[in-house]
Amino acid sequence: MSFFQDIKAVKRADPAVRYGLEVLFFYPGMWAIWFYRFCHFLWKIHLKFISRLIMTIIRWLTGVEIHPGAMIGKRFVIDHGMGVVIGETAIIGDDCMMYHGVTLGGRGHSKEGRRHPKLGDNVVIGAGASILGPVTICKGAKIGAGAVVLNDVFEDETYVGQKARSVITK
Amino acid sequence: MSFFQDIKAVKRADPAVRYGLEVLFFYPGMWAIWFYRFCHFLWKIHLKFISRLIMTIIRWLTGVEIHPGAMIGKRFVIDHGMGVVIGETAIIGDDCMMYHGVTLGGRGHSKEGRRHPKLGDNVVIGAGASILGPVTICKGAKIGAGAVVLNDVFEDETYVGQKARSVITK
Amino acid sequence: MSFFQDIKAVKRADPAVRYGLEVLFFYPGMWAIWFYRFCHFLWKIHLKFISRLIMTIIRWLTGVEIHPGAMIGKRFVIDHGMGVVIGETAIIGDDCMMYHGVTLGGRGHSKEGRRHPKLGDNVVIGAGASILGPVTICKGAKIGAGAVVLNDVFEDETYVGQKARSVITK
């Protein structure tokens, strides 16, 4: 079942997990995903208002904001999760993982078509990274912490932002 | 009335909004602004403790931290909002917009004068950007996601951080 | 006592504080630290489940996520705090300070040894900075807002990310 697969996926991803029950209690990112799956179902049967309402409460409980219209694959893991924002037309493949502070957001104000990123399978996104606009991040790609990605990323590519550098202290 | 203007401003800014009632229920950033307006009034009549107390509760409910002493113009929109911090001496013009994770913060420990940024009208600030110190962001300027701004920005200028780049995967 | 030292440390660090009682009521980052100190004690006497459970509730109340296994020195100050993540094997010296959105996180999935950063005394970390992996940030170092640090930082060094720059507006 999807639920047990999710717990296994977290255990594989986070060395701080000791046993599966911990995932149930200490992973607000996973709570958000489980409620998202229910609300995405509500969204699809056109109970849009109630689905957004539940996800707004879940945002308050978990710090994770997933629009119920987003499409998310199996065994998705969000670690820590505070500040994650996943937009309405975002698409996420199977076995993806992201850390806290990640944005899958839009650019511009057009209401037409896809406005948010599409992630292939096995994509990993580091803490605080922003992926903006209807770009495609192909399968196996890795995005480093704090990176701002505004373009497509090829299969198995790694994208990183600028590393910090030493400056003279005044 | 200011309240209805705010809702119209959100509808203009966010393509995911379908009707005005959604703004009332699904936009924690707007809740924070409405409570800020009340608390700023309390702050001005020297009910400082109670105004900060209310804004601390609002931070817990919305993830948005606005100091009640900040000065904010009309039709200000905060989208998503988690992690926004607006400091005590920040000034924000009319029709500004910001996304989640934006900081209008201070540098250094002086208690004298303005410590936080001043934004003109129609300024837009992307997710996760930090504007630090008593700088001025002139009207119509745009600040990209994740940008760190430590200097003044001219009228209608666009400031961006470093885009992520591809690196060889090990 | 540690508690009063903490309040003094905040008063020294934040110009917006007017008197000590404000720290008690308006500094969720400090609430998180105080509960962390209690939960770290529980963690050490092997009440690991209950210590993580309390810190998960504290994360919900404060937006600050500190693993109870982390080791944190005296007079540690977290200002604002929303989105802070401090990992299980992180070590923080005395008189350190960090702002909101800071990550002391891991890289890779090894369960062996230290996975998170070690901070010396008097280290200051700006808003939204990410320090990842088992690196050492020596005493007196300063890390700028939004910086991504993946290597050791020497004593009294200052590390910063890329400042935003002006681009032609379309």
XYZ file of all heavy atoms in Angstrom, chain A residues 91-153:
442
model
N 3.790 19.148 -11.531
C 3.719 17.703 -11.741
C 4.993 17.088 -11.185
O 6.091 17.554 -11.497
C 3.588 17.360 -13.241
C 2.336 18.030 -13.830
C 3.550 15.856 -13.465
C 2.221 17.886 -15.339
N 4.855 16.063 -10.354
C 6.011 15.433 -9.715
C 5.942 13.937 -9.993
O 4.911 13.307 -9.764
C 6.002 15.703 -8.194
C 6.081 17.214 -7.931
C 7.132 14.965 -7.489
C 6.014 17.598 -6.470
N 7.057 13.356 -10.474
C 7.107 11.929 -10.813
C 7.213 11.046 -9.580
O 6.988 11.490 -8.450
N 7.581 9.781 -9.797
C 7.721 8.842 -8.687
C 9.086 8.992 -8.007
O 10.063 9.404 -8.629
C 7.591 7.403 -9.204
C 6.188 7.124 -9.722
O 5.239 7.826 -9.306
O 6.048 6.202 -10.553
N 9.158 8.616 -6.741
C 10.408 8.526 -5.988
C 11.171 9.845 -5.914
O 12.402 9.853 -5.824
C 11.318 7.443 -6.577
C 10.637 6.071 -6.518
O 10.408 5.602 -5.404
O 10.313 5.508 -7.584
N 10.470 10.967 -5.971
C 11.143 12.251 -5.810
C 11.304 12.580 -4.326
O 10.621 12.023 -3.468
C 10.357 13.363 -6.495
S 10.460 13.260 -8.289
N 12.241 13.500 -4.065
C 12.476 13.907 -2.685
C 12.785 15.389 -2.652
O 13.494 15.903 -3.511
C 13.646 13.118 -2.126
C 14.120 13.655 -0.793
S 14.930 12.422 0.225
C 14.818 13.283 1.805
N 12.250 16.072 -1.660
C 12.660 17.466 -1.477
C 12.792 17.775 0.003
O 12.233 17.091 0.863
C 11.698 18.437 -2.153
C 10.285 18.438 -1.653
S 9.299 19.776 -2.386
C 9.361 19.433 -4.125
N 13.596 18.800 0.268
C 13.800 19.245 1.638
C 12.950 20.492 1.911
O 12.181 20.921 1.051
C 15.290 19.491 1.866
C 16.064 18.194 1.865
C 16.499 17.612 0.676
C 16.306 17.507 3.047
C 17.160 16.395 0.660
C 16.969 16.290 3.050
C 17.395 15.745 1.862
O 18.049 14.532 1.861
N 13.114 21.060 3.069
C 12.313 22.228 3.460
C 12.639 23.442 2.586
O 13.714 23.556 2.020
C 12.564 22.548 4.927
C 14.016 22.629 5.275
N 14.846 21.530 5.283
C 14.798 23.676 5.597
C 16.060 21.907 5.621
N 16.070 23.203 5.811
N 11.670 24.336 2.512
C 11.888 25.613 1.839
C 11.903 25.553 0.324
O 12.224 26.542 -0.324
N 11.552 24.413 -0.255
C 11.565 24.296 -1.721
C 10.283 24.898 -2.308
O 9.191 24.668 -1.805
C 11.692 22.821 -2.146
C 11.417 22.656 -3.638
C 13.064 22.292 -1.788
N 10.436 25.665 -3.381
C 9.298 26.227 -4.092
C 9.203 25.633 -5.499
O 10.177 25.676 -6.245
C 9.460 27.757 -4.218
O 9.540 28.316 -2.915
C 8.274 28.372 -4.950
N 8.060 25.074 -5.828
C 7.735 24.783 -7.233
C 6.684 25.806 -7.617
O 5.487 25.599 -7.413
C 7.193 23.357 -7.406
C 8.077 22.202 -6.935
C 7.430 20.861 -7.296
C 9.472 22.276 -7.542
N 7.142 26.943 -8.110
C 6.261 28.096 -8.244
C 6.066 28.563 -9.669
O 6.620 27.996 -10.618
N 5.281 29.615 -9.827
C 4.982 30.162 -11.140
C 5.758 31.430 -11.427
O 6.453 31.968 -10.579
N 5.685 31.873 -12.659
C 6.197 33.176 -13.078
C 5.128 33.785 -13.977
O 4.607 33.123 -14.846
C 7.486 33.039 -13.893
C 8.568 32.286 -13.182
C 9.768 32.073 -14.100
N 10.486 33.316 -14.331
C 11.465 33.458 -15.217
N 11.789 32.445 -16.003
N 12.082 34.600 -15.357
N 4.887 35.078 -13.778
C 3.887 35.739 -14.613
C 2.476 35.399 -14.182
O 2.266 34.573 -13.285
N 1.514 36.020 -14.826
C 0.142 35.982 -14.330
C -0.827 35.315 -15.291
O -2.032 35.443 -15.142
C -0.347 37.403 -14.043
C 0.503 38.084 -13.031
N 0.847 37.479 -11.844
C 1.086 39.299 -13.015
C 1.600 38.293 -11.143
N 1.776 39.400 -11.826
N -0.318 34.613 -16.325
C -1.218 33.970 -17.269
C -2.000 32.866 -16.572
O -1.470 32.106 -15.771
C -0.418 33.377 -18.424
O -1.222 32.467 -19.126
N -3.290 32.769 -16.871
C -4.104 31.689 -16.327
C -4.107 30.478 -17.261
O -4.703 29.448 -16.967
C -5.548 32.164 -16.109
C -5.772 32.955 -14.817
C -7.244 33.335 -14.670
C -7.480 34.342 -13.566
N -7.618 33.760 -12.230
N -3.479 30.610 -18.432
C -3.517 29.554 -19.443
C -2.424 28.520 -19.211
O -1.286 28.868 -18.922
C -3.320 30.164 -20.834
C -4.388 31.147 -21.237
C -5.770 30.522 -21.272
O -5.898 29.438 -21.861
O -6.709 31.109 -20.698
N -2.750 27.252 -19.404
C -1.764 26.178 -19.462
C -1.036 25.943 -18.147
O -1.418 26.431 -17.105
N 0.053 25.191 -18.234
C 0.849 24.858 -17.062
C 1.697 26.063 -16.643
O 2.365 26.663 -17.460
C 1.742 23.655 -17.374
C 2.466 23.113 -16.155
C 2.861 21.650 -16.336
N 3.781 21.456 -17.441
C 5.117 21.602 -17.337
N 5.665 21.929 -16.202
N 5.881 21.414 -18.386
N 1.656 26.396 -15.382
C 2.406 27.543 -14.880
C 3.579 27.119 -13.992
O 4.413 27.933 -13.635
C 1.505 28.451 -14.035
C 0.248 28.910 -14.709
C -0.491 29.939 -13.874
N -0.745 29.479 -12.516
C -1.812 28.755 -12.138
N -2.713 28.406 -13.021
N -1.956 28.396 -10.879
N 3.592 25.836 -13.586
C 4.550 25.383 -12.576
C 5.441 24.282 -13.136
O 5.158 23.730 -14.194
C 3.780 24.892 -11.348
C 2.928 25.945 -10.709
N 1.569 26.009 -10.878
C 3.246 26.999 -9.929
C 1.085 27.045 -10.212
N 2.082 27.674 -9.625
N 6.523 23.934 -12.444
C 7.479 22.949 -12.970
C 6.917 21.542 -13.044
O 5.957 21.190 -12.352
C 8.627 22.998 -11.951
C 8.467 24.275 -11.222
C 6.998 24.544 -11.185
N 7.567 20.754 -13.896
C 7.285 19.321 -14.005
C 8.563 18.572 -13.646
O 9.620 18.821 -14.230
C 6.880 19.002 -15.446
C 6.676 17.521 -15.710
C 6.247 17.290 -17.166
C 6.084 15.811 -17.424
N 5.578 15.575 -18.794
N 8.471 17.665 -12.673
C 9.628 16.888 -12.248
C 9.471 15.455 -12.724
O 8.408 14.842 -12.543
C 9.716 16.873 -10.714
C 10.465 17.996 -10.000
C 9.979 19.348 -10.429
C 10.337 17.851 -8.488
N 10.536 14.885 -13.301
C 10.540 13.468 -13.660
C 10.703 12.605 -12.418
O 10.641 13.091 -11.285
N 10.947 11.311 -12.627
C 11.150 10.410 -11.493
C 12.521 10.642 -10.855
O 13.457 11.116 -11.496
C 11.079 8.952 -11.980
C 9.726 8.634 -12.612
O 8.754 9.356 -12.332
O 9.659 7.660 -13.391
N 12.635 10.265 -9.585
C 13.930 10.265 -8.887
C 14.628 11.612 -8.842
O 15.855 11.683 -8.773
C 14.885 9.258 -9.530
C 14.506 7.840 -9.151
O 14.576 7.482 -7.982
N 14.072 7.061 -10.129
N 13.881 12.705 -8.857
C 14.493 14.030 -8.730
C 14.663 14.362 -7.247
O 13.785 14.057 -6.431
C 13.617 15.088 -9.443
C 14.081 16.490 -9.115
C 13.620 14.847 -10.941
N 15.806 14.953 -6.920
C 16.073 15.370 -5.535
C 16.301 16.880 -5.520
O 17.093 17.391 -6.320
C 17.318 14.660 -4.963
C 17.612 15.142 -3.541
C 17.134 13.154 -4.978
N 15.631 17.584 -4.620
C 15.761 19.040 -4.568
C 16.181 19.465 -3.163
O 15.503 19.162 -2.177
C 14.440 19.724 -4.947
C 13.981 19.220 -6.316
C 14.605 21.237 -4.960
C 12.706 19.836 -6.786
N 17.302 20.188 -3.080
C 17.868 20.577 -1.795
C 17.093 21.704 -1.124
O 16.283 22.398 -1.749
N 17.400 21.915 0.138
C 16.694 22.900 0.966
C 16.736 24.293 0.354
O 17.780 24.775 -0.077
C 17.315 22.938 2.361
N 15.587 24.941 0.332
C 15.524 26.335 -0.065
C 15.639 26.595 -1.554
O 15.678 27.747 -1.969
N 15.685 25.552 -2.370
C 15.766 25.765 -3.819
C 14.422 26.238 -4.370
O 13.366 25.843 -3.876
C 16.193 24.471 -4.514
N 14.481 27.097 -5.395
C 13.263 27.579 -6.052
C 13.293 27.168 -7.515
O 14.237 27.515 -8.228
C 13.183 29.112 -5.978
O 13.028 29.534 -4.653
N 12.274 26.491 -7.967
C 12.141 26.134 -9.376
C 10.885 26.825 -9.865
O 9.801 26.606 -9.334
C 12.067 24.614 -9.559
C 13.295 23.980 -8.888
C 11.998 24.239 -11.023
C 13.352 22.488 -8.969
N 11.054 27.733 -10.826
C 9.977 28.659 -11.158
C 9.634 28.605 -12.635
O 10.518 28.608 -13.498
C 10.387 30.087 -10.777
C 10.769 30.295 -9.300
C 11.225 31.720 -9.079
C 9.614 29.955 -8.385
N 8.348 28.589 -12.912
C 7.864 28.578 -14.287
C 7.639 27.167 -14.787
O 7.981 26.197 -14.120
N 7.067 27.039 -16.011
C 6.692 25.724 -16.536
C 7.872 24.969 -17.122
O 7.840 24.536 -18.270
C 5.658 26.081 -17.605
C 6.071 27.428 -18.081
C 6.655 28.134 -16.896
N 8.936 24.813 -16.354
C 10.137 24.125 -16.830
C 10.011 22.637 -16.540
O 9.148 22.197 -15.782
C 11.402 24.695 -16.146
C 11.553 26.173 -16.479
C 11.363 24.486 -14.641
N 10.905 21.860 -17.147
C 10.919 20.414 -16.925
C 12.249 20.011 -16.302
O 13.308 20.336 -16.822
C 10.732 19.665 -18.256
O 9.480 20.070 -18.818
C 10.720 18.162 -18.034
N 12.186 19.314 -15.178
C 13.385 18.783 -14.528
C 13.352 17.286 -14.789
O 12.524 16.565 -14.224
C 13.348 19.061 -13.006
C 12.977 20.537 -12.712
C 14.657 18.668 -12.352
C 13.963 21.550 -13.203
N 14.237 16.819 -15.674
C 14.132 15.426 -16.123
C 14.589 14.446 -15.050
O 15.217 14.810 -14.074
C 14.933 15.231 -17.404
S 14.199 16.132 -18.785
N 14.304 13.177 -15.286
C 14.465 12.168 -14.237
C 15.915 12.041 -13.768
O 16.851 12.176 -14.539
C 13.928 10.817 -14.704
C 14.713 10.126 -15.779
C 14.150 8.717 -16.007
C 14.900 8.040 -17.135
N 14.453 6.667 -17.383
N 16.055 11.803 -12.481
C 17.379 11.618 -11.904
C 18.150 12.900 -11.657
O 19.268 12.857 -11.147
N 17.579 14.063 -11.999
C 18.296 15.321 -11.786
C 18.366 15.646 -10.293
O 17.516 15.228 -9.510
C 17.611 16.447 -12.544
N 19.426 16.384 -9.941
C 19.584 16.853 -8.564
C 19.734 18.372 -8.573
O 20.496 18.912 -9.369
C 20.831 16.234 -7.925
C 20.701 14.759 -7.649
C 21.928 14.238 -6.893
C 21.672 12.822 -6.387
N 21.131 11.915 -7.424
N 18.996 19.033 -7.665
C 19.079 20.488 -7.550
C 19.641 20.812 -6.171
O 19.110 20.350 -5.160
C 17.684 21.133 -7.712
C 16.956 20.590 -8.952
C 17.790 22.643 -7.719
C 17.581 20.956 -10.265
N 20.720 21.589 -6.138
C 21.398 21.879 -4.872
C 20.610 22.848 -3.994
O 19.708 23.551 -4.459
N 21.001 22.903 -2.728
C 20.354 23.798 -1.767
C 20.450 25.244 -2.236
O 21.498 25.689 -2.707
C 21.015 23.650 -0.397
N 19.360 25.963 -2.119
C 19.359 27.393 -2.419
C 19.424 27.749 -3.889
O 19.451 28.919 -4.241
N 19.437 26.742 -4.774
C 19.536 27.030 -6.210
C 18.241 27.643 -6.737
O 17.156 27.285 -6.285
C 19.839 25.736 -6.971
N 18.377 28.573 -7.671
C 17.223 29.159 -8.351
C 17.250 28.673 -9.790
O 18.162 29.009 -10.552
C 17.269 30.696 -8.298
C 16.107 31.298 -9.082
C 17.228 31.181 -6.854
N 16.283 27.858 -10.171
C 16.277 27.222 -11.486
C 15.102 27.769 -12.298
O 13.951 27.677 -11.878
C 16.167 25.682 -11.356
C 16.086 25.028 -12.726
C 17.341 25.143 -10.563
N 15.438 28.360 -13.456
C 14.418 28.974 -14.297
C 14.372 28.325 -15.672
O 13.715 28.814 -16.582
C 14.710 30.471 -14.460
C 14.925 31.249 -13.163
C 15.355 32.677 -13.474
C 13.665 31.268 -12.322
N 15.115 27.236 -15.854
C 15.188 26.591 -17.171
C 15.071 25.080 -17.012
O 15.132 24.545 -15.901
C 16.510 26.952 -17.830
C 17.681 26.756 -16.901
O 18.166 27.714 -16.278
N 18.124 25.506 -16.725
N 14.949 24.386 -18.152
C 14.871 22.929 -18.116
C 16.192 22.338 -17.633
O 17.264 22.910 -17.856
C 14.581 22.383 -19.522
C 13.176 22.761 -19.988
O 12.375 23.226 -19.155
O 12.888 22.578 -21.182
N 16.106 21.188 -17.000
C 17.299 20.476 -16.541
C 17.239 19.074 -17.125
O 16.212 18.393 -17.048
C 17.337 20.434 -14.995
C 18.447 19.516 -14.501
C 17.518 21.843 -14.431
